[in-house]
Amino acid sequence: MIELKLRLQEGNTERTVTVNQDVFTIGRLPECDLYLPFGGVSRCHARLLKTAADMWSIEDMGSKNGTQLNDRLVTSPQQVRHGDIIWLGDVSVVVLLGEPVETVVPKQVDTTEQKTIFHNVKQLQEQWIQADSHNGDISNKDKSIARLKDLVDIAKNLSAAASIEEIFSQVQEVVFRYLSSIDRLALLIDVSGGGKLEILNSATRSSCQHEYLPNDGSWISRSICQKVFAEKIAIQTADAQHDERFAGEHSILVKGIRSAMAVPLWDENKVVGVLYADAHLSSYHWAKEGEEELSFFSALANIVASSVQRWLLAEKLKTEEIIRQRLERYHSPAVVQQLIAVGALPDGRLAPKESEISILFADIVGFTAMSERFTAREIAELLNKLFEEMLKEVFAYGGTLDKYIGDCIMAFFGAPEPQPDHADRAVSAAMKMLTRLEHLNTNNFWQEPLELRIAINSGKAVVGDVGSSQRVDYTALGATINLAARMEAVCPPSECIVSEVTYTMLSQPSYFHEMGDYRFKGINRLVKVYQTKLHK
């Protein structure tokens, strides 16, 4: 009887499996006759069936990624022959029928080769600098001095690095120079400070530059990195393929990683990231020299941590400055500082939320006729100068600019920071705006005197960033805003009017007197309006 065997490539070694039953299952489940815990392999991926004497067929079991026989997709049972290649996802299996098979027997190694080292980072900080041989050994002392000098030089170079790319470039050069066993290197940083590691840079040794490293870091052992980050320990595995703690790890199994080590970027106060390296070399090397290499890797990481901390701080300051510049278009400096201090901008946005506010509309009397008498350039100059002056009063009382609508200023008080006295603030700002404009007119601010109408209403509104990914506006929405906009139409020139809601909230309502009841478009009720003359 001709024997059926399957030959698999696993990392740098091969293994041969004998098919000794008529139905032979292949998949990711341990119960399968051929257990393949690899990415792309379904739980019960395919099976081999003995159809007649010395004849076999392959059948797909409804796998997600399909089964291929050589270059053909298996949609129904297909006969297999000697030398055929069966593809299950990204895994290939060679069919051997009735031919003598030279099984590759892995070299027998000492059990110490197949080990994983867990180290306290503090214990590794000085170990690489110190000598390993007897006290008094002159050559050993020279070696320690040389290593210390190397670390000092590395620290100098890293301190001069201004960007994360420069930092990684320095680290890459040092690691590949000192650690000849390393094939690949990666720098993972907790950029947001929320405990999520992001791969910012990666590299392969020059002899391996043809290897593509996905930007998503799928080639990295995430379980190793997360353990290092969370527990502040250094890890080195001398044979990841045979370490059950990493069983099922896609990157290790599929990429054939034999050795890996990772150390935290830690300055004794906070872990900011992980320095990770791996190799396809046999476990023999790190079983002999791994302790020393891990010590150096950890010492280097301590220096890198300080540089990364500086970079993170610089990035934070840049982000805060961008946020500050954006917010200062809308808020008073005091409110901007509060927002930055409490970190109220997740993803650069202020999430919409319901707030109690007072909304203020102020526009120029007779602006339409004025636009006919002056050029567009003159009108733009007028609005720029007037808005600059009026906004000083809004910000002086902690108000927030919503937007400019033509010649109209729309501002509100009470958000994003709650202000219990938002009605008083809005009225005070309005009175100051009218007084300031009166003084500007006295000093011939514009070619002719200007007048404002100001209307204020109070109540609930939804306030926050609204818009698309391309454009976002910080604005207030709701019926409270709609009423204030309608009220402005009945406001006499150079006056401020307030709704009954606002009037009842004022600490000094005696500044106002009743103007009358009005019905506004879209509002099915009479609204009592109060007015005051501020220039008298």
Side-chain angles (χ1 to χ4, degrees):
M1 181 180 293
I2 296 178
E3 190 176 45
L4 171 63
K5 294 186 178 182
L6 304 174
R7 187 171 64 205
L8 296 88
Q9 181 79 26
E10 294 182 335
N12 292 334
T13 64
E14 293 179 348
R15 70 180 173 111
T16 303
V17 176
T18 300
V19 178
N20 51 15
Q21 56 201 64
D22 293 348
V23 179
F24 188 84
T25 58
I26 306 172
R28 191 157 42 87
L29 287 177
E31 306 92 79
C32 291
D33 299 310
L34 178 55
Y35 172 46
L36 298 178
F38 304 134
V41 178
S42 296
R43 291 181 296 175
C44 189
H45 198 109
R47 66 180 178 180
L48 287 161
L49 303 170
K50 189 172 184 180
T51 57
D54 303 330
M55 295 183 66
W56 293 82
S57 65
I58 181 73
E59 180 183 7
D60 184 77
M61 301 296 293
S63 64
K64 181 178 180 181
N65 295 314
T67 303
Q68 277 188 267
L69 181 61
N70 299 319
D71 59 350
R72 302 188 308 276
L73 186 66
V74 176
T75 56
S76 60
Q78 300 290 321
Q79 185 178 346
V80 296
R81 296 175 175 83
H82 177 73
D84 282 348
I85 300 176
I86 300 171
W87 288 92
L88 306 103
D90 296 327
V91 179
S92 63
V93 177
V94 179
V95 176
L96 303 170
L97 268 174
E99 295 290 332
V101 181
E102 182 180 354
T103 303
V104 177
V105 180
K107 181 183 67 175
Q108 296 299 315
V109 295
D110 186 86
T111 55
T112 57
E113 293 183 23
Q114 298 178 4
K115 65 177 183 178
T116 297
I117 303 170
F118 292 82
H119 259 305
N120 182 288
V121 177
K122 284 190 175 181
Q123 295 174 354
L124 290 168
Q125 287 182 354
E126 303 296 332
Q127 188 171 320
W128 185 73
I129 300 176
Q130 296 172 351
D132 295 328
S133 53
H134 303 295
N135 293 332
D137 188 327
I138 300 300
S139 63
N140 204 39
K141 289 181 179 178
D142 290 341
K143 186 178 180 182
S144 296
I145 293 172
R147 286 178 166 181
L148 181 59
K149 182 180 181 299
D150 284 337
L151 285 180
V152 171
D153 290 340
I154 292 169
K156 286 181 180 177
N157 291 332
L158 283 172
S159 65
S163 67
I164 199 68
E165 289 77 20
E166 289 181 57
I167 292 172
F168 184 75
S169 178
Q170 297 284 346
V171 174
Q172 175 185 344
E173 193 275 329
V174 170
V175 168
F176 288 149
R177 172 157 49 95
Y178 277 97
L179 305 180
S180 59
S181 61
I182 294 300
D183 289 336
R184 305 183 297 192
L185 178 71
L187 179 65
L188 297 92
I189 305 296
D190 179 18
V191 178
S192 65
K196 182 180 179 182
L197 291 173
E198 299 178 34
I199 179 168
L200 296 193
N201 295 89
S202 61
T204 61
R205 187 174 292 278
S206 57
S207 60
C208 308
Q209 285 298 329
H210 64 276
E211 181 177 1
Y212 170 69
L213 297 180
N215 293 331
D216 61 3
S218 57
W219 57 275
I220 291 172
S221 172
R222 289 284 178 176
S223 60
I224 290 178
C225 291
Q226 201 57 47
K227 189 173 184 66
V228 166
F229 181 78
E231 300 180 19
K232 300 179 185 176
I233 58 173
I235 293 180
Q236 180 188 62
T237 175
D239 199 338
Q241 296 283 335
H242 292 83
D243 193 322
E244 62 181 13
R245 277 167 293 208
F246 308 121
E249 176 103 20
H250 174 83
S251 57
I252 288 176
L253 294 171
V254 174
K255 299 296 183 181
I257 299 171
R258 296 281 295 184
S259 306
M261 64 179 173
V263 291
L265 302 180
W266 182 39
D267 63 357
E268 298 189 8
N269 294 313
K270 183 181 180 182
V271 179
V272 294
V274 171
L275 194 59
Y276 172 88
D278 63 29
H280 297 85
L281 51 80
S282 69
S283 60
Y284 175 74
H285 173 86
W286 274 359
K288 293 180 61 180
E289 303 175 21
E291 190 88 6
E292 182 175 328
E293 293 193 347
L294 184 61
S295 296
F296 166 70
F297 206 53
S298 182
L300 175 63
N302 289 332
I303 299 173
V304 175
S306 298
S307 297
V308 170
Q309 286 270 39
R310 287 196 301 273
W311 175 78
L312 286 171
L313 178 60
E315 289 298 299
K316 181 181 178 183
L317 292 175
K318 287 180 186 177
T319 301
E320 286 186 357
E321 183 57 30
I322 293 172
I323 292 172
R324 183 185 298 277
Q325 290 175 1
R326 176 176 171 243
L327 290 179
E328 283 179 347
R329 295 166 53 200
Y330 306 106
H331 310 295
S332 66
V335 173
V336 170
Q337 188 55 45
Q338 284 181 335
L339 290 173
I340 292 176
V342 300
L345 287 169
D347 300 324
R349 290 194 177 202
L350 284 166
K353 65 177 183 178
E354 189 174 75
S355 303
E356 282 281 347
I357 67 169
S358 288
I359 184 80
L360 177 153
F361 281 88
D363 71 353
I364 301 173
V365 176
F367 181 74
T368 302
M370 195 180 299
S371 298
E372 295 293 327
R373 297 195 303 274
F374 297 101
T375 66
R377 184 182 296 275
E378 289 173 323
I379 291 296
E381 180 185 354
L382 163 63
L383 293 178
N384 285 335
K385 293 174 66 175
L386 182 63
F387 288 162
E388 183 74 23
E389 293 292 332
M390 297 301 103
L391 209 57
K392 290 177 183 177
E393 302 299 347
V394 172
F395 285 171
Y397 289 93
T400 295
L401 172 66
D402 188 308
K403 62 176 69 72
Y404 300 117
I405 309 171
D407 64 314
C408 176
I409 296 173
M410 176 180 171
F412 54 83
F413 300 77
E417 291 297 303
Q419 295 168 329
D421 58 343
H422 54 81
D424 282 329
R425 288 171 180 264
V427 168
S428 297
M431 294 171 67
K432 288 289 187 180
M433 289 168 72
L434 293 171
T435 301
R436 178 181 283 265
L437 182 57
E438 189 173 356
H439 291 160
L440 289 173
N441 286 330
T442 301
N443 295 317
N444 299 316
F445 170 75
W446 186 243
Q447 300 176 33
E448 59 184 58
L450 301 174
E451 292 181 297
L452 286 179
R453 292 189 180 92
I454 301 179
I456 299 171
N457 184 33
S458 304
K460 293 186 185 231
V462 174
V463 182
D465 279 335
V466 176
S468 66
S469 58
Q470 284 77 33
R471 173 169 178 152
V472 174
D473 284 326
Y474 183 73
T475 188
L477 304 169
T480 300
I481 288 80
N482 297 337
L483 176 56
R486 297 278 191 271
M487 286 170 53
E488 190 182 38
V490 302
C491 180
S494 297
E495 289 192 26
C496 169
I497 62 174
V498 300
S499 68
E500 185 174 16
V501 175
T502 302
Y503 178 81
T504 59
M505 297 176 70
L506 295 176
S507 58
Q508 294 181 314
S510 57
Y511 288 137
F512 289 84
H513 62 86
E514 187 176 330
M515 181 176 168
D517 294 329
Y518 291 82
R519 189 177 295 278
F520 299 102
K521 182 179 179 181
I523 300 172
N524 297 322
R525 59 184 174 86
L526 289 173
V527 177
K528 193 177 293 295
V529 175
Y530 296 78
Q531 74 174 75
T532 186
K533 291 189 177 182
L534 305 177
H535 60 280
K536 291 184 179 180

